[in-house]
Amino acid sequence: MTETTAPSDVSSLLRSLRPVAGAPAVGTMVAAASHGLLGVAVAFLVAGAVDAAVFHGHDAAALVPSLALLAGLAVVRAGAAWASDRFGFAAAAAVRRHLFARLLDHVAAAGPLRPATKPIGERAAVLIEAVAAVEPYWRQWLPSAARVGVVPLAVLVVVAPTDRWAFAILAVSLPMLLWAMILVGKGAEVAHRRQWASLARLGGDLLDKVAGLGDLKRLGASGRAVASVHAAAVTFGRETMSVLRLAFLSALVLEFFATVSIAGIAIAVGFRLMWGDLDFRTGFFVLLLAPEFYAPLRDLGVRRHARIESLTALGSIAEMLAEPEATPSGDRIRPAGAPPALRFEAVRVVHADGRVALDGIDLDIAAGEHVAIVGPSGAGKSTLFALVAGFVEASRGRVLVDGAPLDDLDRDLWRAELVHLPQTPHLFEGWIAENIALDRPPSGGDADVAFEAVLAASGAGDFVARLPAGRDTPLGEHGLGLSGGEAQRLALARAFWGSGSLVLFDEPTAHLDAETERVVGEAIVRLRNGRTALTIAHRLATVAAADRVVVLDHGRIVECGRPGDLAAAGGRWARMLADSGIVTEAEV
Amino acid sequence: MRDLLRLIGLWRGAAGWLALALVVAVAATLANLALMAVAGWFVTAMAAAGLAGATLNYFTPSALIRAAAIVRTGGRYLDRVIGHEATFRLVAATRTALFARLERIAPAGLDDLRSGEMAARLKGDVDRLEAVHLRLLAPLAVAVLTAVAAVAVIAHYDGGIAVVSAFALAVGGLLLPLVAAGAASRRARETARLSADLRRRVVDDLAGLAALTTTGAFATHRAAREAVFADLVAAERHVAARATAGQVAVGLTSDLLGVAVLALGAASLAAGTLAGPETTLVLLLAQASFEAFAPLPAAFAGAAAMFASLRRIFALWDRDPVVGAPASPRPLPGRFDLVLDHVSFGVGHAGRPILRDFSLDLPEGRHVVVAGPSGIGKSTLVDLLSRVRDPESGEIRLGGVPLPALGLDELRATIVVVPQRPHIFAATIAENLRLAAPRASDDELWGVLETVALKDAVERMPAGLATFAGSDGVSLSGGEARRLAVARALLRRPRILILDEPTEGLDDDAARRVTDAIETLMRDRTLIVVSHRSGEPNSRALEVVLSPRGV
């Protein structure tokens, strides 16, 4: 059954999964084949028993030995069925766990900027739905294929010497069945891919729309959103149906051939029995074998669609795994906790859509230095952060950390050195404490003391203490129930809790009122101590506290220097100061 | 069970189609029985006739065999097509209905749920409803009807065998799978919960990936997700084992019934109460009727998960909207003066009082900045003005009409809010803008983009208006995303525009340009800007400062 040729990346993924599925995959095939062969033996014994009872006048007592043997075989057969399914489940479970873990690792390696053109819901669909959809390959297809490889052949071998007519019908119908299967299967792959695409789209669409329900309502767009969800849902149903219709059609064709052949065998056997060409025992045995011959083939026809479904899912997994990693990871490990020195050499970054985000960036940042980055929206400030964090790669030039290329560093350990405070922090499902100490929630003793200190330092102490369960208060989406400023203070606490040596701030005091801003501002100075810090600044006070300002525009550094020097030099920064209308010597 | 009845009530419109699928399915299964039984009888009778040198009317049975073959094949196909087609339509309709229901409850009524959780119910749980007809109700009905018919035919030939067959079908076909499924029901419910949990957590981690990787906490979260996945697989293994046990029980009982029928048949033959061909007929009929029971064990084992999904769906469905729509809305007033009259609202995260006895007069066309420290209730005030929530006491009037007396759609067309965290949809920039005004021309879109100082940035993007804005605006910076949302709101041409921290994340220069442009555009119309900064330097508007002691 190799007429559905899987794309090469799916084939290589499948090959790599073989050792993962391991012995259970072999087990399910062996057990399934045994189950099928035992069916032939059962048919033989049943035919013998009926013949003995009907035509040789044996009563129940005389049948006991063969009936006992039959009962024994039935039990063994049940055992084989049980083993086949258990092994199949185990093989599929091993594969699913393996793929899920691999995808998780990949997601981290590809970095947060990878899903730029796909809603998160579509990526989640690969991790959830696609991983679940690979199961049928191991649990249904493999045992079914094993049965087909053994049982029809065994039936033919048994029937050949006993009944030529039946043998002829079986032998002729076999290629016709396979041919029908291939014919109907042609369109199945395309249909499955379309169905998968509409499934992923529906998943992404639902998550996106649900997340934006409030905005849909505010914009008076609810009616259209309901209509578009309905359209996506109906499309998904229709694509699923078009896949199934093919499956049903192939089942129809297979069943038709099978049923007609069984009927033909029954009639042929009947007439030969009447003419005395055949003894009843053989004739009835052949009649019982006919369904055993076709059942695995019919089953295979159904399972083949399960196989295509699994391969389609594997295709989407392979596609995701084939995404390039955000940046290469080396194996160099730099001493943790030591503030890094950064050096950018003629760095150019081009977005996937061709936009040049940064170009010709040459910059030296000393260990422990605090640099403010300013510039209009879209100037490349965030890209600079992403570059340092290893979320995007320089298409030209390079970034050096303590004199060694960033690419040579162990990526995960380097990222863990960062303290990143974005403008709109993501708050995870869970308690306040879990959201601050993402890696290791505090558990009593010194950790608790340190945790309280972090809360106090970030200015979150007071409002957390006022919450009903304090730091064990669960958070809703986007920290629902918290104001924007409160959410930002939690993120700040997260930054304080981290042990990184390079701080990336995106205007940390933007959401804070004057009083909190003062508290947090002092805390930030403490946090910066002994660390290298890059701050995207929108406000003058933030810039004033920096050792140096870098002015970015259209992806290029237009100015760089000490805040006071630049203000005095009368360049771009001085103009920005003048435009803002609140330049004072004392502040700068 | 009540949930199931409720679902059937929702689906009654398609009852005809489902019933038709059922009738066809029963016909196909009976044809299968007839095929096996007649074939067995025929072969034996022909052999007997051959031995006795007699002849036999072989036309009728061979025609019957052919007819049964056709009905069985065609019936199975039709049953599948009709049943699935009807089911998918119902599932799609249910999904839409649930989403529309959520839309009415949102946003205040869904505060405590993460969108990943709601999406999980809309996707995974609704998907599970496919099984209601296709895997549970229809196969169960087919199996029971088939068994009754088969036993009735067997009873015609041999009462003893009929009793044994009925017993075997009831015990092996129904009772054992039910017992096995009962043993799995707790874990089956767990699979529904765990898979929703997994989906929600994975979505959460994907959304917060930057925070996870830069804190080095990814490994912790990864391990936690793997643990949930392992739990899910373990629960599924438990359920699957029970389902397989049920299936094996069906197969084994069928084989053992064959042995019993052979023994009883031999005895009846010897006693002369049963003819040879009839023995074969009864034997094959009894065994073939078990085929109809083959799908039941898996269906029973999955039923608990299906019921759990139903419960989760209806739990969401039954939430009440926080604000009600008026039964007979009053027409929009001629003027749009806003009056807040002794308004109080007190449900915060900690049940802290947020607004107390708050009054404000905003004649049409007035521009104000509402300022105050974070957590003081500015966002709550915005929610009250746009009727996301209603005040606990006091009243808000628009042109003299209390807000709750106005139709919600009219109100939302009049008062438009850009929240603190606007959602940028996973669509192009143009599509995001046209959410607010589907028929807006490209020129209009460029116009509002210019107002919010986004025109240059969008022009620089390679695809211009057709640039994908990304989920949560991944390809837009924070400031750009916020201004895109402001542009979207401006397209609604609101009488009253409320902006919650519109220039947050903008540098001072850009902030002032945007504020200027919006104030110019909103000339003669009401503009309310919420800001955590008192003394917004950029605005010419009046300022209202909220403080813990009131205005």
Side-chain angles (χ1 to χ4, degrees), chain A residues 69-140:
Chain A
L69 188 56
L70 257 179
L73 270 184
V75 172
V76 175
R77 210 169 165 229
W82 166 263
S84 168
D85 195 64
R86 297 284 73 205
F87 280 136
F89 186 94
V95 167
R96 283 165 61 203
R97 290 183 62 169
H98 168 85
L99 285 175
F100 184 70
R102 221 161 122 183
L103 283 168
L104 282 177
D105 286 337
H106 170 76
V107 159
L113 299 181
R114 180 58 57 193
T117 57
K118 267 191 184 170
I120 280 169
E122 279 194 33
R123 277 176 96 69
V126 176
L127 273 98
I128 307 293
E129 262 104 358
V131 169
V134 302
E135 179 176 78
Y137 184 88
W138 283 270
R139 206 173 161 200
Q140 300 182 8

Side-chain angles (χ1 to χ4, degrees), chain A residues 6 12 86 137 152 213 223 265 275 328 408 412 432 467 512 543 566:
Chain A
S12 62
R86 297 284 73 205
Y137 184 88
L213 264 180
I265 287 172
W275 297 329
D408 291 351
D412 294 343
I432 297 241
L467 293 174
L512 307 181
V543 179
L566 287 189

Side-chain angles (χ1 to χ4, degrees), chain A residues 195-222:
Chain A
Q195 187 228 4
W196 170 258
S198 74
L199 176 146
R201 217 164 29 238
L202 176 64
D205 200 39
L206 284 174
L207 182 62
D208 187 39
K209 294 243 160 52
V210 163
L213 264 180
D215 281 274
L216 290 172
K217 216 165 172 168
R218 289 182 195 101
L219 296 168
S222 302

Side-chain angles (χ1 to χ4, degrees), chain A residues 81-430:
Chain A
W82 166 263
S84 168
D85 195 64
R86 297 284 73 205
F87 280 136
F89 186 94
V95 167
R96 283 165 61 203
R97 290 183 62 169
H98 168 85
L99 285 175
F100 184 70
R102 221 161 122 183
L103 283 168
L104 282 177
D105 286 337
H106 170 76
V107 159
L113 299 181
R114 180 58 57 193
T117 57
K118 267 191 184 170
I120 280 169
E122 279 194 33
R123 277 176 96 69
V126 176
L127 273 98
I128 307 293
E129 262 104 358
V131 169
V134 302
E135 179 176 78
Y137 184 88
W138 283 270
R139 206 173 161 200
Q140 300 182 8
W141 165 260
L142 282 187
S144 185
R147 234 187 332 261
V148 161
V150 175
V151 175
L153 214 64
V155 171
L156 281 179
V157 167
V158 172
V159 172
T162 52
D163 184 356
R164 297 236 168 86
W165 281 99
F167 178 78
I169 293 178
L170 293 176
V172 168
S173 68
L174 186 60
M176 285 167 74
L177 275 172
L178 295 179
W179 172 75
M181 223 188 276
I182 292 167
L183 199 69
V184 177
K186 281 257 190 274
E189 263 179 281
V190 181
H192 269 282
R193 257 197 294 280
R194 272 216 312 270
Q195 187 228 4
W196 170 258
S198 74
L199 176 146
R201 217 164 29 238
L202 176 64
D205 200 39
L206 284 174
L207 182 62
D208 187 39
K209 294 243 160 52
V210 163
L213 264 180
D215 281 274
L216 290 172
K217 216 165 172 168
R218 289 182 195 101
L219 296 168
S222 302
R224 273 170 282 135
V226 171
S228 100
V229 163
H230 184 65
V234 167
T235 306
F236 172 56
R238 203 178 44 231
E239 300 290 1
T240 308
M241 197 58 213
S242 70
V243 162
L244 287 176
R245 214 175 280 121
L246 283 170
F248 298 157
L249 192 64
S250 77
L252 170 73
V253 173
L254 290 175
E255 284 203 16
F256 176 75
F257 278 115
T259 313
V260 166
S261 305
I262 293 172
I265 287 172
I267 291 167
V269 164
F271 279 100
R272 296 192 60 215
L273 284 172
M274 191 173 77
W275 297 329
D277 287 2
L278 204 64
D279 66 305
F280 175 77
R281 189 192 166 111
T282 310
F284 192 53
F285 178 44
V286 168
L287 181 71
L288 288 177
L289 278 183
E292 297 289 333
F293 178 83
Y294 290 109
L297 287 163
R298 263 169 44 200
D299 185 54
L300 188 76
V302 176
R303 304 303 179 207
R304 213 170 49 99
H305 284 271
R307 171 178 177 267
I308 299 175
E309 186 193 340
S310 292
L311 291 186
T312 311
L314 276 172
S316 72
I317 292 170
E319 192 186 322
M320 190 153 152
L321 290 175
E323 293 169 349
E325 302 194 346
T327 48
S329 179
D331 48 16
R332 224 170 67 82
I333 297 169
R334 57 182 297 283
L342 298 174
R343 182 188 176 91
F344 300 80
E345 288 181 351
V347 169
R348 178 185 168 97
V349 176
V350 182
H351 281 315
D353 58 13
R355 261 187 304 164
V356 177
L358 288 176
D359 202 6
I361 301 291
D362 284 299
L363 185 62
D364 257 312
I365 297 169
E369 194 181 6
H370 175 209
V371 176
I373 299 160
V374 299
S377 178
K381 304 186 294 279
S382 307
T383 309
L384 195 69
F385 271 23
L387 185 69
V388 172
F391 294 156
V392 294
E393 199 178 359
S395 45
R396 200 185 296 158
R398 56 182 189 157
V399 181
L400 302 171
V401 178
D402 300 330
L406 176 58
D407 292 352
D408 291 351
L409 292 179
D410 180 291
R411 188 183 44 216
D412 294 343
L413 288 179
W414 165 247
R415 283 182 184 164
E417 276 293 297
L418 306 179
V419 180
H420 184 213
L421 194 67
Q423 247 176 48
T424 43
H426 180 84
L427 293 178
F428 293 89
E429 176 177 345

